[in-house]
């Protein structure tokens, strides 16, 4: 994921920018760049590849200036190249960006129709061109910046400079990280506080949608309505983990909030935004003779496979088997050379998943791993690797890795469907558009904290809970139950709603909360009859539905979380967010050790 740095100083800034860019390398990148302002001129150097290439350029062409911005780019829209590298510069505006702009096409078309010419394939240049357009139309820098942000959809962190405003940095963030750091005399902006840690004494973590206009002497922060707001400065204590948790009380909460950004990166590393196609596993061309796809994983990663089964059956139309690794490794199973086996693991070190991979190697056509840690054993031992690029997941309960696994598996289903010639151009585009819309939807529903807290208050006193879902949301009922039991220690079970009357309904009484996932889809009416079965037995129903579902039910006895309307295809990804937040706040109210729940390990390297 891209990294951002901005500096306001009394000294030359380019070498400090380089130092910080090196610290941001861990986020992954394929090009880097710096811009400064000197003598009322924007100076810029960009290079493809390693930061050393940029250093060499700067040693040949000095970059003077006491104000500057820098960037490590991890390609999404457009190949890694100098033209696509940041900072992007148009007219008097120069800026860097981390994130994905969902509506960049629409804005780009608008600007092209007005006669603007683009130099890169990036969504970032669209933002800079738009801001420059507002300036051409008489807006001052501040108003142009606000007006530009007002047009953007998606997840983004921005840091801009303006040629005629040499003393200021203009920054904002939405569902992407950005901090302001204060040194003895200098002011910094960065993607994280860790990369600035040797330069700063205190830090401000910006809230969602905050806009900050910074000079060496003044920090002016505004909310999205343009109202001045105060954000507390925190002193930097290098021994404290506040640096990496930011404003969040727990890593788990931070990682939940990172999902819009992480999901955007996970999908966009496979979406070719020019051709509107998913490009992955180019080595696999022939899928006509495939007999079966086998997905193997443990825990949350297994539930990601359970969601993927729906996608692969629908769009790839091959038999799909999913299995938990600890069972799979010991079963007598026949394999054929026309099968692909796919292993999903955040850590890439889970002993059972690794053993399952070793079991099938050489017996199936190819093994594919979907991992977060690309240097892991599972990645090294599988023939193809699909990285989910979620960044380090510290909270033991998996959150962002789950939705990033879903991102990659959804892309793979679309890609395989195309390779089998089963999907029309139109459907392909629609599915990609739906994936692109996910970060925006996630950002909106993550913010509705009070409703998750209200659900959590109802759940915290329960000893048991049932989660119900049908179809593609059944695996989400399993995942939501796992999240709740792991961190709040409340016994929870996930069931397919239709299975309720075959046993678990015996447990329902007035003490049993039943959390039901009920979007309006082809199974809505059936799910609602299951809800009524629970109500008839005095069960406490907590419903997660959409606006239409809520109005069709119109029941004051049911507590509801209302989500916006989205397609069935992306519904398991979106429903992950309320599942995680309900578990999180329930555990918070119970006072459990959320990031390190008892008896659990982050990486299960033993059987
Ligand atoms: C649950 C959780 C675990 C892991 C499982 C597999 O929140 O984190 O169930 O999903 O231990 O781990 P990985 O994905 O590392 O193979």
């Amino acid at each position: 994921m891209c990294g951002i740095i901005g500096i306001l100083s009394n000294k030359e800034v380019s070498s400090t920018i380089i130092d910080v860019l090196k610290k941001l390398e861990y986020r992954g990148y394929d090009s880097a760049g710096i811009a400064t302002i000197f003598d009322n001129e924007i100076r810029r150097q960009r290079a493809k590849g390693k930061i050393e290439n940029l250093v060499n350029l700067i040693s040949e062409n000095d970059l003077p200036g006491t104000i500057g911005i820098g960037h490590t780019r991890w390609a999404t829209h457009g190949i890694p190249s100098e033209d696509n590298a940041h900072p992007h510069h148009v007219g008097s505006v120069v800026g860097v960006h981390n994130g994905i702009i969902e509506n960049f096409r629409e804005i780009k078309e608008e600007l092209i129709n007005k006669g603007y010419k683009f130099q890169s394939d990036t969504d970032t240049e669209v933002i800079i061109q738009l801001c420059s357009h507002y300036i051409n139309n008489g807006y001052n820098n501040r108003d142009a910046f606000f007006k530009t942000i007002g047009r953007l959809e998606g997840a983004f962190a921005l840091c801009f400079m303006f040629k005629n405003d040499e003393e200021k940095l203009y920054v904002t963030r939405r569902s992407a990280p950005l901090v302001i750091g204060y040194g003895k005399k200098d002011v910094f902006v960065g993607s994280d506080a860790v990369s600035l840690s040797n330069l700063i004494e205190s830090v401000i973590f910006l809230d969602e949608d905050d806009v900050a206009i910074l000079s060496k002497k003044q920090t002016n922060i505004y909310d999205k309505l343009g109202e001045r707001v105060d954000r507390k400065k925190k002193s930097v204590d290098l021994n404290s983990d506040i640096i990496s948790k930011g404003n969040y009380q727990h890593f788990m909460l931070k990682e939940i909030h990172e999902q819009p950004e992480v999901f955007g990166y996970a999908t966009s590393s496979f979406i070719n935004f020019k051709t509107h196609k998913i490009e992955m596993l180019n080595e696999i061309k022939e899928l006509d003779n495939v007999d079966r796809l086998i997905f193997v994983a443990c825990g949350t990663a297994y539930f990601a496979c359970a969601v993927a089964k729906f996608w692969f059956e629908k769009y790839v139309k091959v038999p799909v088997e999913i299995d938990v690794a600890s069972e799979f490794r010991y079963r007598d199973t026949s394999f054929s050379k026309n099968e692909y086996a796919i292993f999903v693991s955040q850590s890439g070190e889970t002993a059972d998943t690794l053993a399952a991979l070793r079991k099938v190697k050489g017996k199936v056509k190819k093994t594919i791993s979907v991992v977060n840690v690309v240097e892991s054993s599972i990645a090294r031992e599988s023939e193809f690797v699909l990285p989910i690029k979620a960044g380090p997941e510290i909270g033991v309960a998996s959150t962002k890795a789950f939705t990033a696994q879903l991102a990659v598996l959804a892309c793979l289903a679309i890609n395989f469907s195309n390779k089998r010639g089963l999907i029309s151009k139109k459907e392909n585009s629609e599915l990609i558009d739906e994936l692109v819309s996910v970060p925006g939807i996630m950002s909106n529903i993550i913010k509705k904290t009070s409703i998750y807290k209200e659900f959590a208050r109802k759940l915290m006193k329960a000893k048991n809970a049932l989660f119900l879902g049908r179809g593609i949301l059944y695996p989400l009922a399993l995942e939501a139950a796992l999240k709740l039991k792991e961190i709040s220690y409340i016994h929870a079970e996930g069931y397919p709603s239709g299975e309720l009357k075959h046993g678990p309904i015996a447990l329902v009484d007035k003490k049993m909360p039943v959390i039901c996932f009920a979007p309006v889809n082809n199974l809505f009416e059936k799910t609602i009859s299951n809800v009524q079965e629970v109500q008839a037995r005095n069960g406490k129903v907590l419903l997660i539905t959409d606006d239409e579902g809520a109005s069709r039910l119109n029941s004051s006895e049911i507590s509801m979380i209302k989500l916006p309307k989205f397609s069935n295809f992306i519904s398991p990804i979106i429903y992950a967010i309320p599942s995680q937040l309900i578990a999180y706040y329930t555990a918070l109210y119970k006072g459990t050790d959320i990031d390190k729940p008892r008896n659990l390990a982050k990486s299960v390297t033993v059987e």
Side-chain angles (χ1 to χ4, degrees):
M1 282 168 280
C2 305
I4 285 181
I5 162 73
I7 308 184
L8 291 158
S9 179
N10 295 319
K11 303 184 298 259
E12 301 274 299
V13 289
S14 62
S15 67
T16 314
I17 292 181
I18 292 283
D19 290 344
V20 178
L21 290 181
K22 286 183 180 160
K23 291 193 182 140
L24 289 168
E25 278 185 302
Y26 78 92
R27 294 171 68 83
Y29 73 106
D30 35 54
S31 57
I34 299 189
T36 57
I37 306 183
F38 183 70
D39 254 356
N40 202 26
E41 280 306 321
I42 292 173
R43 320 264 173 139
R44 179 174 68 146
Q45 292 292 353
R46 300 174 298 168
K48 188 179 155 189
K50 294 281 161 214
I51 289 173
E52 273 329 296
N53 301 346
L54 183 66
V55 174
N56 293 338
L57 270 181
I58 294 172
S59 64
E60 287 159 20
N61 308 282
D62 203 18
L63 261 190
T66 56
I67 175 172
I69 55 179
H71 190 263
T72 46
R73 173 174 187 254
W74 186 79
T76 59
H77 301 62
I79 55 165
S81 68
E82 194 184 319
D83 282 345
N84 287 335
H86 303 209
H88 286 278
H89 170 201
V90 180
S92 64
V93 193
V94 61
V96 288
H97 160 224
N98 166 29
I100 312 278
I101 304 302
E102 282 162 25
N103 57 339
F104 84 99
R105 268 171 207 282
E106 173 194 318
I107 302 174
K108 188 169 181 173
E109 248 166 56
E110 231 177 87
L111 291 168
I112 288 174
N113 289 339
K114 287 188 163 69
Y116 290 92
K117 300 255 177 308
F118 282 77
Q119 296 139 20
S120 77
D121 301 320
T122 63
D123 52 345
T124 308
E125 192 193 343
V126 175
I127 316 173
I128 312 285
Q129 291 266 16
L130 184 65
C131 192
S132 172
H133 163 70
Y134 288 131
I135 285 173
N136 294 343
N137 280 275
Y139 287 90
N140 63 28
N141 296 341
R142 180 190 183 279
D143 293 349
F145 190 65
F146 269 98
K147 215 167 154 50
T148 303
I149 302 162
R151 287 290 314 274
L152 305 181
E153 286 165 23
F156 49 86
L158 301 174
C159 181
F160 278 28
M161 302 187 295
F162 294 88
K163 182 174 144 174
N164 48 3
D165 207 356
E166 273 186 48
E167 300 282 306
K168 291 197 190 94
L169 291 174
Y170 290 70
V171 304
T172 186
R173 65 168 287 264
R174 178 186 300 165
S175 299
L178 202 72
V179 301
I180 305 170
Y182 298 88
K184 280 199 169 47
K185 291 192 179 136
D186 301 344
V187 178
F188 301 85
V189 172
S191 286
D192 63 36
V194 181
S195 59
L196 303 177
S197 56
N198 61 332
L199 301 165
I200 59 176
E201 295 173 341
S202 57
V203 68
I204 289 180
F205 294 100
L206 289 177
D207 273 7
E208 192 72 354
D209 283 316
D210 276 352
V211 175
I213 301 179
L214 307 169
S215 67
K216 280 188 294 270
K217 295 210 175 71
Q218 260 194 326
T219 296
N220 292 326
I221 305 183
Y222 306 86
D223 65 14
K224 66 172 169 205
L225 302 172
E227 300 292 327
R228 277 287 295 275
V229 284
D230 253 351
R231 302 283 176 232
K232 289 247 155 358
K233 248 189 212 178
K234 293 182 178 168
S235 59
V236 171
D237 170 5
L238 291 180
N239 297 319
S240 146
D241 58 5
I242 191 152
I243 285 183
S244 32
K245 277 191 217 156
N247 269 349
Y248 299 99
Q249 202 173 339
H250 295 97
F251 282 105
M252 181 178 176
L253 189 61
K254 175 172 178 262
E255 287 157 7
I256 290 173
H257 280 259
E258 281 170 4
Q259 288 176 109
E261 187 195 13
V262 165
F263 190 92
Y265 274 106
T267 45
S268 56
S269 58
F270 299 114
I271 299 172
N272 181 331
F273 285 90
K274 256 190 172 166
T275 57
H276 222 219
K277 284 224 163 111
I278 304 270
E279 280 170 13
M280 67 207 302
L281 297 181
N282 291 340
E283 304 87 339
I284 299 180
K285 293 193 172 59
E286 272 296 316
L287 272 167
D288 286 349
N289 298 326
V290 67
D291 286 345
R292 183 168 67 149
L293 298 172
I294 306 166
F295 290 84
V296 185
C298 297
T300 288
Y302 168 73
F303 297 141
C305 298
V307 170
K309 181 178 166 73
F310 283 82
W311 290 331
F312 282 83
E313 284 179 346
K314 183 170 162 78
Y315 298 108
V316 189
K317 300 200 190 309
V318 282
V320 174
E321 184 180 333
I322 55 168
D323 216 334
V324 282
S326 54
E327 287 297 314
F328 178 84
R329 62 183 289 192
Y330 293 113
R331 264 211 339 272
D332 285 332
T333 320
S334 311
F335 301 104
S336 92
K337 283 285 188 183
N338 285 333
E339 298 173 329
Y340 287 92
I342 298 148
F343 299 86
V344 182
S345 173
Q346 186 282 130
S347 62
E349 298 296 347
T350 301
D352 285 320
T353 312
L354 182 59
L357 164 68
R358 288 177 178 159
K359 173 177 168 163
V360 302
K361 256 183 105 172
K363 297 187 186 132
V364 295
K365 195 175 175 83
K366 288 283 185 239
T367 54
I368 302 169
S369 62
V370 177
V371 292
N372 197 22
V373 183
V374 283
E375 307 80 23
S376 62
S377 309
I378 292 174
R380 278 186 278 115
E381 293 194 28
S382 53
E383 281 140 306
F384 297 120
V385 185
L386 295 173
I388 64 168
K389 300 189 173 167
E393 191 179 60
I394 311 293
V396 165
S398 189
T399 52
K400 63 175 179 172
F402 176 65
T403 45
Q405 285 159 354
L406 292 181
V408 173
L409 292 169
C411 288
L412 189 62
I414 300 173
N415 177 272
F416 275 12
S417 183
N418 269 296
K419 283 178 176 155
R420 278 169 67 80
L422 294 172
I423 193 169
S424 68
K425 218 174 153 191
K426 181 166 174 278
E427 198 177 7
N428 172 72
S429 273
E430 281 167 3
L431 293 179
I432 292 176
D433 285 346
E434 283 170 30
L435 289 180
V436 171
S437 73
V438 166
I441 302 174
M442 280 178 165
S443 302
N444 283 332
I445 64 172
I446 282 177
K447 286 182 205 150
K448 310 227 153 82
T449 322
S450 59
I451 183 78
Y452 307 117
K453 289 183 174 166
E454 196 184 313
F455 260 45
R457 277 192 209 99
K458 291 186 173 129
L459 270 179
M460 64 179 286
K461 294 195 192 84
K463 293 224 158 29
N464 303 287
L466 276 181
F467 285 84
L468 302 180
R470 287 190 89 119
I472 200 163
L473 288 180
Y474 162 47
L476 257 288
L478 298 174
E479 168 60 6
L482 178 66
K483 283 293 88 92
L484 186 72
K485 65 185 138 194
E486 274 183 301
I487 60 168
S488 75
Y489 313 143
I490 292 173
H491 170 236
E493 298 291 339
Y495 268 96
S497 321
E499 192 60 13
L500 190 68
K501 53 178 130 1
H502 298 288
I505 201 161
L507 296 169
V508 173
D509 62 14
K510 60 177 188 307
K511 290 198 191 129
M512 173 68 93
V514 180
I515 300 102
C516 189
F517 298 155
V520 175
N521 59 18
N522 58 334
L523 295 168
F524 179 72
E525 295 302 340
K526 293 188 195 301
T527 308
I528 294 310
S529 4
N530 302 136
V531 166
Q532 280 153 356
E533 289 158 12
V534 173
Q535 280 187 299
R537 284 152 188 92
N538 292 324
K540 279 196 283 180
V541 178
L542 308 176
L543 199 74
I544 310 183
T545 182
D546 44 44
D547 290 332
E548 188 186 337
S551 63
R552 272 164 71 172
L553 246 134
N554 196 17
S555 163
S556 55
E557 288 150 43
I558 301 182
S559 311
M560 286 192 218
I561 292 181
K562 282 185 257 175
L563 303 178
K565 186 98 188 106
F566 37 78
S567 74
N568 217 29
F569 176 58
I570 58 169
S571 62
I573 305 163
I574 305 295
Y575 272 73
I577 305 286
S579 310
Q580 296 163 354
L581 285 167
I582 291 168
Y584 173 80
Y585 286 113
T586 308
L588 186 74
Y589 294 146
K590 291 195 73 179
T592 56
D593 190 352
I594 293 182
D595 282 333
K596 294 193 192 76
R598 68 186 179 207
N599 308 335
L600 293 177
K602 185 66 188 160
S603 183
V604 186
T605 51
V606 290
E607 241 194 278

